[in-house]
């Protein structure tokens, strides 16, 4: 974060850049202004986010959305949660999924609208029931650790996930081309950590031990998950999702050579199938703590690599090269800073990423208690950006990936 001296400099720098946010007005007026700005920029082209994911030239600015942009920091979500206290109900009931997903869309008009769901949502459809504990998070009563348990897993039953498909169809109609609709899944390794450990863990000792004591069991589990997740992605795409993000949230807990053996092949299996069945759909891969993995992620075949906030954007861009788009990576804590400081950081990240193949996002999900004013400011600033102004007089070199 910035010192007071740096913050003061940021204020001056922000003023020298494009205007940070519109003058304050009623929330209704501001929402209308945002929608008008989006409508004015629409053409017959695909949504800005999809074009940036594909690395198209000539975009006017980077698109923006936020991981966890629907959720606990929003007053509207908090009010809904009081009426519907069960997370499973909120994430598995079509009307509630649609309402929650659209809350940040109505409030902030991001360029991407991501389905409100959970990476564990498809587990019951493959024969792994789970509960959500307010104190412990996900709880799986019978962790899968034996060959017999893996054999008992079933192919994914998409009929048990109709609420996902129905929600995506409604959302695609509601958004009506003004933003990209994103679906998402967990990567096999990340899903397996919950299935093997029985829930959340800080150590991952059971699944890491299985790499050495029961490798065939773990391979069977990961292969089954990869097949199920692939089918789940195709189902989301057929229901209206225009882009899919794969979260390998706990891949960064592995040493790079272990991730290469136990996570990467199963993500690659998914990507290969999706690129065959749905070649038009951009795929984003996000790994929390991926600073040591970037070079190993390049050849998986995804269109976009998400960078967490611990990776310097300019360095990350150099390491993956121009052939892959990047996403990120403002530190979520900047949303608690003075707004001019946030403005300065957005400009810094965008300039470091360059004028092509960048989706602006946080480096992780929105934190609890994040001020909604800061989220609104983030998107207002992004809409004010113009590449031709930011990069005026600057030559942009074509970056080759680091070997």
């Amino acid at each position: 974060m910035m010192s007071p001296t740096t913050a003061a400099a940021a204020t001056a720098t922000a003023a020298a850049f494009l205007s940070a946010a519109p003058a304050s007005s009623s929330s209704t007026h501001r929402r209308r202004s945002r929608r008008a700005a989006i409508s004015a920029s629409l053409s017959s082209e695909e949504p800005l986010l999809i074009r940036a994911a594909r690395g198209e030239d000539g975009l006017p600015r980077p698109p923006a959305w936020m991981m966890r942009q629907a959720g606990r920091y929003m007053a509207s979500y908090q009010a809904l949660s009081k009426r519907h206290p069960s997370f499973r109900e909120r994430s598995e009931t079509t009307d509630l999924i649609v309402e929650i997903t659209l809350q940040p869309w109505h409030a902030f008009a991001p360029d991407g609208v991501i389905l409100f769901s959970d990476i564990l949502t498809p587990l019951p459809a493959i024969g792994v029931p789970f509960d959500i504990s307010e104190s412990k998070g996900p709880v799986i009563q019978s962790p899968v650790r034996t060959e017999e348990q893996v054999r008992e897993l079933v192919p994914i039953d998409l009929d048990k996930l109709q609420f996902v498909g129905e929600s995506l169809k409604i959302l695609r109609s509601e958004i009506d081309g003004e933003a990209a609709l994103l679906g998402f899944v967990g990567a096999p390794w990340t899903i397996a950590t919950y299935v093997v450990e029985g829930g959340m863990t800080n150590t991952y000792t059971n699944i890491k031990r299985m790499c050495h004591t029961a490798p065939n069991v773990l391979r069977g589990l990961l292969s089954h998950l990869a097949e199920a997740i692939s089918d789940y992605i195709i189902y989301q795409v057929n229901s209206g999702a225009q882009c899919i993000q794969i979260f390998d949230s706990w891949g960064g807990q592995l040493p790079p050579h272990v991730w290469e053996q136990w996570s990467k092949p199963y993500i690659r299996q998914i990507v290969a199938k999706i690129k065959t069945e749905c070649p038009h759909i951009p795929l984003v891969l996000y790994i929390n703590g991926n600073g040591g993995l970037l070079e190993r992620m390049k050849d998986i075949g995804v269109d976009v690599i998400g960078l967490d906030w611990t990776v310097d954007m300019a360095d990350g861009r150099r390491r993956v090269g121009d052939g892959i788009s990047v996403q990120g990576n403002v530190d979520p804590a900047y949303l608690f800073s003075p707004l001019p400081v946030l403005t300065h950081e957005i400009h810094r990240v965008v300039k470091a990423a360059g004028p092509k193949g960048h989706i602006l996002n946080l480096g992780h999900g929105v934190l609890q208690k994040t001020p909604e004013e800061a989220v609104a400011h983030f998107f207002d600033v992004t809409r004010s950006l113009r590449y031709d102004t930011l990069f005026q007089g600057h030559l942009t070199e074509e970056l080759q990936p680091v070997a």
Side-chain angles (χ1 to χ4, degrees):
M1 302 300 291
M2 295 186 179
S3 67
T5 302
T6 309
T11 304
T13 304
F17 278 113
L18 303 175
S19 60
S24 59
S25 59
S26 70
S27 60
T28 300
H29 175 73
R30 188 154 61 175
R31 282 196 298 269
R32 287 173 179 167
S33 297
R34 289 173 185 145
R35 288 295 182 82
I38 292 173
S39 298
S41 65
L42 283 177
S43 68
S44 59
E45 305 278 0
E46 292 181 293
L48 187 65
L49 186 148
I50 304 301
R51 298 172 64 197
R54 291 183 179 143
E56 287 189 21
D57 290 310
L59 302 187
R61 63 170 178 85
W65 69 283
M66 291 182 179
M67 291 179 282
R68 293 184 185 166
Q69 69 186 11
R72 291 174 289 183
Y73 74 99
M74 293 192 71
S76 55
Y77 179 83
Q78 295 165 15
L80 183 145
S81 297
K82 289 179 180 178
R83 302 192 303 273
H84 304 278
S86 165
F87 178 81
R88 291 287 298 274
E89 179 191 8
R90 295 194 297 272
S91 62
E92 298 180 14
T93 305
T94 299
D95 291 348
L96 297 180
I97 294 170
V98 170
E99 181 177 353
I100 294 168
T101 301
L102 291 176
Q103 284 175 346
W105 164 243
H106 292 314
F108 313 121
D111 296 300
V113 176
I114 189 165
L115 178 75
F116 180 77
S117 186
D118 191 86
I119 60 172
L120 301 186
T121 294
L123 282 184
I126 65 169
V128 182
F130 73 97
D131 298 312
I132 299 286
S133 165
E134 290 297 326
S135 58
K136 298 180 180 179
V139 177
I140 295 171
Q141 297 293 346
S142 299
V144 176
R145 298 175 185 170
T146 68
E147 187 174 346
E148 181 181 2
Q149 287 176 302
V150 172
R151 284 198 303 266
E152 290 173 351
L153 299 176
V154 299
I156 191 166
D157 184 354
L158 296 172
D159 287 340
K160 294 183 177 179
L161 296 167
Q162 288 187 15
F163 55 87
V164 172
E166 292 168 356
S167 299
L168 286 167
K169 290 174 184 175
I170 295 169
L171 289 165
R172 184 69 180 270
S173 175
E174 288 287 329
I175 297 167
D176 195 26
E178 294 185 26
L181 178 59
L182 292 90
F184 72 93
V185 296
W189 171 266
T190 288
I191 299 296
T193 64
Y194 294 94
V195 173
V196 171
E197 300 288 346
M200 295 289 294
T201 176
N202 293 321
T203 60
Y204 308 90
T205 50
N206 288 301
I207 191 168
K208 287 185 175 182
R209 183 170 61 243
M210 283 182 70
C211 295
H212 311 289
T213 62
N216 290 336
V217 175
L218 186 54
R219 288 190 191 100
L221 173 60
L222 291 168
S223 294
H224 189 94
L225 289 172
E227 189 65 29
I229 292 165
S230 299
D231 290 343
Y232 186 40
I233 290 175
I234 294 169
Y235 176 67
Q236 291 187 37
V237 170
N238 290 339
S239 298
Q242 298 167 284
C243 180
I244 299 290
Q245 177 150 315
I246 302 169
F247 286 90
D248 195 8
S249 304
W250 308 130
Q253 297 295 319
L254 293 172
H257 71 285
V258 179
W259 178 84
E260 186 100 31
Q261 180 180 1
W262 288 103
S263 183
K264 181 176 180 176
Y266 303 98
I267 299 174
R268 180 179 273 158
Q269 178 182 336
I270 292 170
V271 172
K273 183 168 184 177
I274 303 309
K275 289 302 180 183
T276 299
E277 299 289 331
C278 312
H280 61 293
I281 295 296
L283 297 175
V284 183
L285 176 59
Y286 173 81
I287 302 176
N288 189 31
N290 64 0
L293 299 173
L294 292 182
E295 288 79 9
R296 298 171 190 257
M297 295 169 67
K298 292 183 302 187
D299 63 352
I300 281 182
V302 296
D303 303 275
V304 185
I305 290 177
L307 306 179
D308 77 11
W309 77 95
T310 65
V311 177
D312 178 77
M313 174 56 78
D315 181 55
R317 173 62 97 181
R318 281 193 296 269
R319 290 168 64 188
V320 302
D322 271 346
I324 303 175
S325 295
V326 293
Q327 178 174 275
N329 67 338
V330 174
D331 184 344
Y334 269 99
L335 294 169
F336 294 86
S337 302
L339 297 184
V341 176
L342 175 58
T343 301
H344 179 271
E345 180 63 7
I346 292 169
H347 279 271
R348 187 194 68 80
V349 168
V350 171
K351 293 188 76 174
K356 174 184 174 183
H358 177 221
I359 300 169
L360 184 64
N361 204 315
L362 303 179
H364 197 270
V366 182
L367 300 173
Q368 288 191 58
K369 299 183 180 180
T370 294
E372 291 188 48
E373 178 189 15
V375 176
H377 186 80
F378 181 96
F379 290 114
D380 287 341
V381 170
T382 306
R383 273 186 292 274
S384 77
L385 297 175
R386 290 297 177 269
Y387 280 140
D388 56 1
T389 302
L390 282 173
F391 293 94
Q392 189 172 22
H394 292 272
L395 293 176
T396 57
E397 60 174 323
E398 185 164 336
L399 299 172
Q400 298 301 321
V402 177

